[in-house]
Amino acid sequence: MHPFGGIKQIVPAGLDAILLYFAGDTVDAANARCQHWLHAITNLAFPWLKECVPAYDSLLLVFDAYKVDSHYVYQMLRSLAAQDPKIRINGTDGVSVKTHEIPVWYGAEPANDLALVSQKTGLSEQDIIDAHISMTYKVYAVGFAPGFAYMGNVPATLHCARLETPRKQVPKGAVAIADAQTAIYPSSSPGGWHLLGLCPLNLVDTSHNALLKVGDNVKFAPISEQEFRDLHEG
């Protein structure tokens, strides 16, 4: 393990970025350390910091190479760890979490792989829905497309590998699963995940701000077709 703050490894990523990997017995533990470092760094608003990109167990720091170099950033991290006891001890405390309840019309015709998932898992279609809504999911990363949040962990009984041949078009709002992850397609796009239903909410606003952010919690709630249409039209 790296000598401070639960960082396992620091890797150069070109001339203007470094990649931090975090230690942890589980993905949740490593991601919690990632979240604390993300908040600690962004709250300080360093003028040389251009971007922070969090993922499951890593954090990419992109800096202005005309102002600082990777050695400077490394020393900043060491100094921050020495000053912040929450980072120094375990890197997991002090991060507030927002919880979203996301409505889903399960089995919606444009996004209905329930029969296929049933065939692969041995669960009934209602059991699939019940399993999917039974968890509180954590947003581990946002990527692939603006607002596309990778969430976990899906119950083991629901695990399905990605489709062998991805679809050319997945509808906007499709709620999907792949392996241990679940997600909502924020816009119409190609995709290879199994589809469970449709969400009526816009996940990205007109200013390109995403509803779901790394570190947020998500609960899915089933709604009827009429409720979907009312929310979608509203």
Side-chain angles (χ1 to χ4, degrees):
M1 183 183 296
H2 216 269
F4 53 84
I7 297 175
K8 180 171 61 176
Q9 188 179 15
I10 298 178
V11 179
L15 295 175
D16 63 348
I18 62 172
L19 189 59
L20 314 180
Y21 288 97
F22 298 93
D25 295 334
T26 64
V27 172
D28 280 341
N31 187 258
R33 290 192 169 102
C34 175
Q35 289 304 305
H36 193 94
W37 273 101
L38 172 66
H39 284 261
I41 291 171
T42 53
N43 285 343
L44 290 171
F46 295 110
W48 45 263
L49 185 65
K50 297 173 69 174
E51 190 175 10
C52 289
V53 184
Y56 281 83
D57 65 348
S58 65
L59 179 62
L60 179 69
L61 304 181
V62 182
F63 53 86
D64 187 340
Y66 288 101
K67 295 180 178 178
V68 299
D69 59 15
S70 58
H71 179 73
Y72 179 94
V73 178
Y74 179 93
Q75 293 302 323
M76 179 278 298
L77 296 174
R78 179 182 290 279
S79 175
L80 184 57
Q83 295 172 31
D84 189 335
K86 293 173 183 176
I87 287 179
R88 187 169 64 248
I89 295 170
N90 55 29
T92 62
D93 300 326
V95 178
S96 60
V97 175
K98 186 173 184 179
T99 299
H100 305 265
E101 183 172 286
I102 301 295
V104 183
W105 171 23
Y106 286 95
E109 185 176 346
N112 186 358
D113 286 334
L114 290 176
L116 179 58
V117 175
S118 177
Q119 179 184 341
K120 291 185 175 183
T121 63
L123 299 175
S124 71
E125 293 188 10
Q126 186 59 52
D127 286 342
I128 292 166
I129 297 169
D130 290 343
H132 192 249
I133 65 176
S134 69
M135 305 296 291
T136 297
Y137 299 98
K138 183 175 183 179
V139 178
Y140 286 112
V142 178
F144 167 64
F148 189 99
Y150 292 86
M151 295 174 272
N153 291 311
V154 168
T157 54
L158 270 187
H159 287 193
C160 288
R162 289 171 174 80
L163 299 172
E164 291 185 8
T165 303
R167 294 179 174 88
K168 293 182 180 179
Q169 207 70 10
V170 173
K172 175 184 176 181
V175 177
I177 56 172
D179 300 313
Q181 302 176 110
T182 188
I184 311 165
Y185 285 79
S187 58
S188 179
S189 69
W193 294 30
H194 291 82
L195 311 181
L196 303 184
L198 286 176
C199 166
L201 306 182
N202 287 320
L203 299 183
V204 181
D205 65 20
T206 54
S207 299
H208 306 291
N209 296 311
L211 173 65
L212 304 180
K213 296 178 173 56
V214 172
D216 287 356
N217 285 338
V218 171
K219 284 284 291 182
F220 291 101
I223 58 173
S224 67
E225 177 180 356
Q226 186 57 53
E227 289 173 315
F228 172 87
R229 298 193 184 285
D230 290 345
L231 289 167
H232 193 263
E233 291 170 2

